[in-house]
Amino acid sequence: MSSVPRLTILLLIALFVAAALPRAGQSDEVALRIIVVGSKEEAQQIVERLRQGENFVALATQVSLDPSADRGGLLGRVALSSLRPALRNAVENLAVGELSAVVQIPTGYAVLKVVADSEAGDSGRTSTVNRALAAAGSVRYATDVAGFTAAITLFDDFEKPDDWSQDLQTICQVRRQSLASGDETVARNVAEAAAGGTNLRPFDEVQLHYLQGQLHAYQGRMEQAIEAFTRAHRLAVAEVPEAVAPMELVLAVANLHQGGIENGVMHTPGDRCLLSVKSRPPLSRTERVQRAVEQFTTYLLNRPDDLEGRWLLNVAHMTAGSYPERVPAGQLIAPQAFDPGEDVGRFHDIAEPAGLSFFGTAGAAVVDDFDNDGLLDVVATSMYSCDQMRLFRRLPGGGFSEQSGKAGLSGQLGGLNAMQTDYNNDGNVDILVLRGGWDLPQRKSLLRNNGDGTFTDVTAASGLARPATSTQTAVWTDFDRDGFVDLFVGNEDSPAQLFRNKRDGTFEDVAAAARVDRRAFTKGVAAGDYDNDGWPDLYVSNFGGTNFLYRNNGNGTFTELALAAGVPGPGYGFATWFFDYDNDGWQDLFVASFYTSIEETARTYLKLPNNADTLKLYRNMRDGSFQDVTRGVGLNKAWMPMGSNFGDIDNDGFLDIYLGTGNPSYASLVPSVLLRNRNGQTFVDVTVSSGTGELHKGHGVAFADLDRDGDQDIVFEVGGATPGDAHALRLFENPGHANNWIDLKLAGVKSNRAAIGARITVTPTDANGVRRAIHRVVGSGGSFGASPLQQHIGLGPSVRLVDVEVLWPASGVRQRFTGVDTNQVIEITESSSEYRRLERPRLPLVGSRTK
């Protein structure tokens, strides 16, 4: 029996071609009502209730999360082209009175009903839908070559054993089985279509071959993917002219990706994966890359204003070593568009010679001292469900050694993000691993550090395992100031969780009582005391809709004030953090916007107006409100950032930013971005001069002085969302800037042992007698990647002595030390009258290097 009906559903959900092409003979407008709920199961129950005769208007009013709920779910008369593809495909063939299938959208799961024009009110006027329902509009999203959505759909629909989401081995097994089943089903349909055994229209047959190519691409079988895409293109040329251009672009992207694979640039990237305005090391095999150059050039002949094609043509020439000389004049993005000319020195990637040999998909980078030997270790994870978490211990003689098995971490699979803390105040740094981001709900892992070089998975015993959620973001903070860190988790399409530490190794979710359990598609969370009242507040960055700012009331509850405080976010939010970018003693707020558009990135570099919302930097006004200073500081850019963090690359005392960029599509070859903070006034792009413009997908970012030479290096976990887009981890070694510094290791007594939330003020005096204050708050940095809890503070030039002040979060104790020598690591214990100097001689990562 043919599986074409099931396959067609997959195609409509997963593929961009169907969404991009018009269907002949159909009206582009329809009158709609909608119900949005938080889970797929709830939505399916809604469908059953409606089929049994319950009133749609009444149900929408009672349960819908959509803003239309107070109108009984009425959207009015809507242009199909204005809807996001999955919604458009779900309703375009429905008659009046019919219900759609359940459709996932950023704010939940939707059920739609086509209604008569008479229900739409002013039937002559077309309604505007909200962000969660809207199509790209004027923002053009990246061409999809990755198979990520198709793989998730297969995983979602595959039959699973009970409690599968609690067992990491089972999750891996189901992932593999679902992909194998999808491969088999699609191959059978391709064979049937070739034999004339199906009644597929040419349009659907193009999609069939495209889907097969997507599944091959997801698993890294790019030769087979290109063959499938070629079949789709040939059929489009013969019978589906509207699909020709999209398939041309798909083929060019696939060939460019295969060219990278054939030349080993994912395993041994060197400078070959970096944004470059000069000649690059030559490729040993150039056929595929040259073919991609030719295909992008042909594509642009009839579409000279296509910015995505133009961008990719320039990148293809960079890869081939022919940029800028051989890029057609009308399509060249000039080198000066990328390089503002500010030189911060070259950061060289030394991960491989240093022993950080990690190859994986999107994941975390966490740096800290996990064995209390005074050396910083590195943890890396990979989101693919069968990939092993890795622990690299720093060796006393230099470099790193992979010791995951010895540490008891074998079987810790998957993980899109991770962060560290000392949750039980025993002096050992523990690890939390988060799973299910962009995917299906899966359990977290809380890994207790046993203090003997090993870890124990205590997730179930601690109370953090259930319910399993889809998440990549959490933050440790002592919200009730009892001396033990608590955990706030932002989830995708399920309520946020606030786990109060019960001080006995277990946690309880108090989010509802604390009034922080709002449901959203959350991609970043941060904690910080923005009003300086001593109580840590929370910020939630949502992908679709307004962000949340929760002010801590000091009594176990929070009040949401995002709009009142002026920090609504960019609409499609991602990584976020509190930091004091201007050193005025008040924490400011950074929020990344995430529009997966190559065109918007190109507009940024070409200095064209962006259609997408940009990054946001909110300056703390010291009165409970913030001012949007994004444009004034030069951050009004659209860069597609994912994993991101902050640190001080030049030891000037002002915090800089590194943005890891991309999205699942292999077309999204956009550089990660290093932004230098100029004295708390502006940020300047120093990506080119620093050599940190990795074009492949950027995720976990950590700033850390790994070689103990007094400046922060950058650990960068690189890799896409699919096994076919895995990549080597990067370690960008800081070239040094001759400025002074001091490192502070804090140990709480009444406050939490890790000192998370402790406020530090360092006051240096330079050679001219000028004093200034530099402010830090203990934490691991941004909401994707984790820097050491030990705080590295740059001081600028000509500084020999500093004053140090620490304000402890639970006790309120304020310690002051005057005349402290610079360029050293000191340990401060809460309430102690003295600090302790820690011997930390320089330890090169690779041989001997001179800066």
Side-chain angles (χ1 to χ4, degrees):
M1 181 175 175
S2 173
S3 58
V4 170
R6 175 70 191 112
L7 179 60
T8 301
I9 292 172
L10 276 175
L11 292 167
L12 293 175
I13 293 174
L15 308 181
F16 89 94
V17 176
L21 302 180
R23 297 297 181 96
Q26 292 183 333
S27 169
D28 187 49
E29 293 190 356
V30 64
L32 295 172
R33 290 185 184 272
I34 190 170
I35 296 174
V36 179
V37 291
S39 70
K40 188 174 183 180
E41 292 73 21
E42 288 179 85
Q44 289 169 337
Q45 292 171 6
I46 293 294
V47 171
E48 288 303 313
R49 292 171 66 180
L50 291 169
R51 287 175 177 167
Q52 293 171 12
E54 289 199 45
N55 184 274
F56 194 104
V57 173
L59 263 180
T61 303
Q62 294 167 11
V63 304
S64 182
L65 303 175
D66 191 76
S68 63
D70 60 358
R71 303 188 302 276
L74 182 64
L75 298 178
R77 190 164 178 79
V78 173
L80 287 172
S81 59
S82 72
L83 292 172
R84 62 176 49 243
L87 292 171
R88 184 188 317 156
N89 294 324
V91 302
E92 64 182 352
N93 292 316
L94 297 182
V96 172
E98 289 185 331
L99 297 174
S100 74
V102 174
V103 182
Q104 185 175 3
I105 60 174
T107 54
Y109 290 80
V111 178
L112 299 101
K113 180 180 181 180
V114 177
V115 298
D117 286 346
S118 58
E119 285 193 47
D122 184 357
S123 61
R125 184 174 63 189
T126 302
S127 299
T128 300
V129 296
N130 63 49
R131 285 182 182 270
L133 312 180
S138 57
V139 176
R140 176 185 170 187
Y141 288 86
T143 297
D144 182 14
V145 183
F148 182 65
T149 305
I152 291 176
T153 304
L154 289 168
F155 187 43
D156 190 8
D157 289 350
F158 194 80
E159 185 175 351
K160 306 174 188 68
D162 293 342
D163 223 23
W164 66 273
S165 64
Q166 293 294 321
D167 184 85
L168 303 182
Q169 296 291 340
T170 301
I171 294 171
C172 168
Q173 183 180 27
V174 172
R175 178 78 68 185
R176 287 175 168 162
Q177 291 174 340
S178 66
L179 287 168
S181 175
D183 283 339
E184 181 182 353
T185 301
V186 173
R188 183 169 63 250
N189 279 269
V190 168
E192 290 176 2
T198 66
N199 295 319
L200 286 178
R201 297 173 300 166
F203 181 92
D204 292 325
E205 193 172 345
V206 167
Q207 295 181 77
L208 171 59
H209 293 297
Y210 174 68
L211 175 58
Q212 187 173 46
Q214 291 281 63
L215 291 178
H216 284 313
Y218 178 87
Q219 295 166 86
R221 303 188 298 252
M222 290 308 299
E223 290 284 8
Q224 296 96 314
I226 290 169
E227 291 173 4
F229 294 150
T230 299
R231 291 194 300 271
H233 180 256
R234 288 172 180 164
L235 181 59
V237 169
E239 301 192 54
V240 192
E242 63 267 41
V244 172
M247 290 312 306
E248 285 178 347
L249 201 52
V250 165
L251 267 172
V253 169
N255 275 302
L256 183 57
H257 191 71
Q258 176 63 9
I261 292 173
E262 290 178 350
N263 286 278
V265 300
M266 280 75 165
H267 281 87
T268 55
D271 289 348
R272 297 180 298 171
C273 293
L274 300 179
L275 174 71
S276 176
V277 297
K278 300 178 181 178
S279 61
R280 291 163 57 155
L283 300 177
S284 58
R285 302 178 64 180
T286 61
E287 178 186 353
R288 286 291 185 186
V289 176
Q290 290 298 338
R291 190 175 302 176
V293 168
E294 294 167 4
Q295 289 169 331
F296 286 127
T297 302
T298 300
Y299 173 82
L300 287 165
L301 288 177
N302 296 320
R303 303 159 197 86
D305 297 326
D306 186 302
L307 287 179
E308 178 176 345
R310 181 181 176 186
W311 176 273
L312 290 170
L313 175 64
N314 280 263
V315 170
H317 274 289
M318 289 181 187
T319 303
S322 50
Y323 174 90
E325 294 83 6
R326 295 182 61 185
V327 183
Q331 297 297 342
L332 176 66
I333 301 177
Q336 51 267 34
F338 301 110
D339 187 3
E342 185 161 321
D343 189 1
V344 293
R346 185 77 172 186
F347 286 65
H348 292 282
D349 177 16
I350 60 168
E352 184 68 26
L356 284 178
S357 299
F358 180 80
F359 185 78
T361 59
V366 183
V367 179
D368 219 308
D369 181 2
F370 293 104
D371 52 5
N372 286 330
D373 64 352
L375 303 173
L376 293 175
D377 312 302
V378 175
V379 165
T381 68
S382 173
M383 75 176 288
Y384 183 63
S385 304
C386 301
D387 285 352
Q388 170 67 46
M389 174 183 180
R390 303 290 181 187
L391 170 64
F392 297 89
R393 292 200 188 279
R394 186 75 157 97
L395 300 176
F400 292 85
S401 172
E402 198 275 315
Q403 297 186 12
S404 311
K406 290 182 180 179
L409 297 176
S410 297
Q412 288 296 327
L413 307 179
L416 183 52
N417 200 7
M419 61 279 306
Q420 81 280 30
T421 194
D422 180 0
Y423 79 93
N424 55 0
N425 286 353
D426 66 353
N428 301 304
V429 181
D430 314 298
I431 304 171
L432 176 73
V433 182
L434 304 174
R435 300 183 178 88
W438 302 113
D439 206 342
L440 302 189
Q442 298 160 41
R443 79 159 172 90
K444 311 167 185 68
S445 284
L446 179 61
L447 305 173
R448 186 189 66 210
N449 188 330
N450 300 317
D452 60 1
T454 67
F455 292 81
T456 298
D457 188 332
V458 296
T459 318
S462 70
L464 296 183
R466 299 176 188 275
T469 60
S470 295
T471 184
Q472 65 170 49
T473 186
V475 64
W476 294 99
T477 184
D478 184 5
F479 85 93
D480 53 4
R481 297 191 352 187
D482 67 349
F484 283 74
V485 288
D486 312 296
L487 178 65
F488 181 68
V489 182
N491 293 312
E492 298 174 3
D493 291 332
S494 63
Q497 297 163 300
L498 178 59
F499 291 102
R500 186 179 69 83
N501 193 326
K502 297 171 68 177
R503 301 186 285 184
D504 60 0
T506 67
F507 295 81
E508 62 174 337
D509 186 358
V510 297
R515 303 202 296 263
V516 295
D517 62 336
R518 291 193 176 197
R519 185 191 304 267
F521 198 87
T522 297
K523 301 305 294 180
V525 297
D529 181 9
Y530 78 91
D531 52 3
N532 282 358
D533 67 350
W535 295 91
D537 312 298
L538 300 169
Y539 190 73
V540 181
S541 177
N542 299 320
F543 186 70
T546 301
N547 294 346
F548 309 142
L549 174 65
Y550 293 115
R551 182 176 60 81
N552 192 329
N553 298 321
N555 61 1
T557 69
F558 293 77
T559 301
E560 203 289 303
L561 294 171
L563 292 177
V567 289
Y572 284 85
F574 211 96
T576 187
W577 55 73
F578 289 98
F579 73 153
D580 188 356
Y581 83 93
D582 54 1
N583 275 325
D584 68 349
W586 294 75
Q587 288 192 284
D588 312 298
L589 182 61
F590 173 85
V591 194
S593 66
F594 188 60
Y595 287 80
T596 58
S597 172
I598 298 168
E599 180 178 285
E600 292 302 309
T601 294
R603 285 179 171 275
T604 291
Y605 284 104
L606 291 167
K607 293 183 170 55
L608 298 173
N610 284 110
N611 297 312
D613 289 315
T614 68
L615 309 172
K616 294 295 181 186
L617 181 63
Y618 298 111
R619 183 173 182 269
N620 195 321
M621 300 304 291
R622 314 184 195 187
D623 60 0
S625 71
F626 293 80
Q627 178 186 11
D628 186 343
V629 296
T630 308
R631 181 173 296 276
V633 300
L635 290 181
N636 53 321
K637 317 288 186 183
W639 268 315
M640 213 188 302
M642 299 183 295
S644 310
N645 212 328
F646 59 89
D648 185 356
I649 61 170
D650 51 6
N651 277 347
D652 67 349
F654 291 94
L655 292 168
D656 312 299
I657 296 172
Y658 188 53
L659 304 174
T661 63
N663 84 308
S665 175
Y666 301 166
S668 294
L669 296 169
V670 293
S672 294
V673 180
L674 184 60
L675 298 165
R676 186 184 199 179
N677 184 339
R678 285 179 172 168
N679 301 315
Q681 300 297 315
T682 61
F683 288 82
V684 61
D685 182 354
V686 293
T687 304
V688 172
S689 69
S690 64
T692 56
E694 170 64 59
L695 288 166
H696 291 107
K697 315 309 185 309
H699 285 87
V701 176
F703 288 80
D705 184 7
L706 290 174
D707 50 7
R708 303 199 307 202
D709 64 351
D711 50 43
Q712 290 188 302
D713 312 298
I714 302 174
V715 179
F716 188 27
E717 205 279 349
V718 183
T722 72
D725 204 19
H727 198 281
L729 180 141
R730 296 274 203 176
L731 169 53
F732 291 117
E733 186 182 23
N734 195 317
H737 295 84
N739 284 332
N740 300 104
W741 55 276
I742 190 168
D743 273 22
L744 304 181
K745 182 178 181 180
L746 304 186
V749 178
K750 183 174 181 181
S751 300
N752 70 90
R753 179 70 176 268
I756 289 174
R759 302 181 71 111
I760 299 168
T761 302
V762 173
T763 307
T765 303
D766 67 17
N768 298 316
V770 177
R771 291 170 60 85
R772 65 174 175 132
I774 300 171
H775 300 276
R776 297 289 185 269
V777 177
V778 176
S780 59
S783 57
F784 206 139
S787 301
L789 296 174
Q790 177 177 304
Q791 295 298 295
H792 176 91
I793 303 172
L795 303 171
S798 305
V799 175
R800 294 292 175 263
L801 299 174
V802 297
D803 297 340
V804 176
E805 179 177 288
V806 180
L807 176 62
W808 291 90
S811 65
V813 167
R814 190 182 300 269
Q815 291 169 277
R816 294 183 179 90
F817 303 96
T818 60
V820 180
D821 289 334
T822 61
N823 302 332
Q824 65 169 333
V825 182
I826 66 172
E827 183 177 50
I828 299 175
T829 299
E830 184 175 11
S831 297
S832 175
S833 60
E834 298 181 351
Y835 63 84
R836 182 165 70 101
R837 179 188 174 100
L838 301 177
E839 295 300 325
R840 296 291 187 263
R842 182 174 176 179
L843 184 61
L845 289 157
V846 183
S848 61
R849 302 177 67 89
T850 301
K851 295 185 180 179

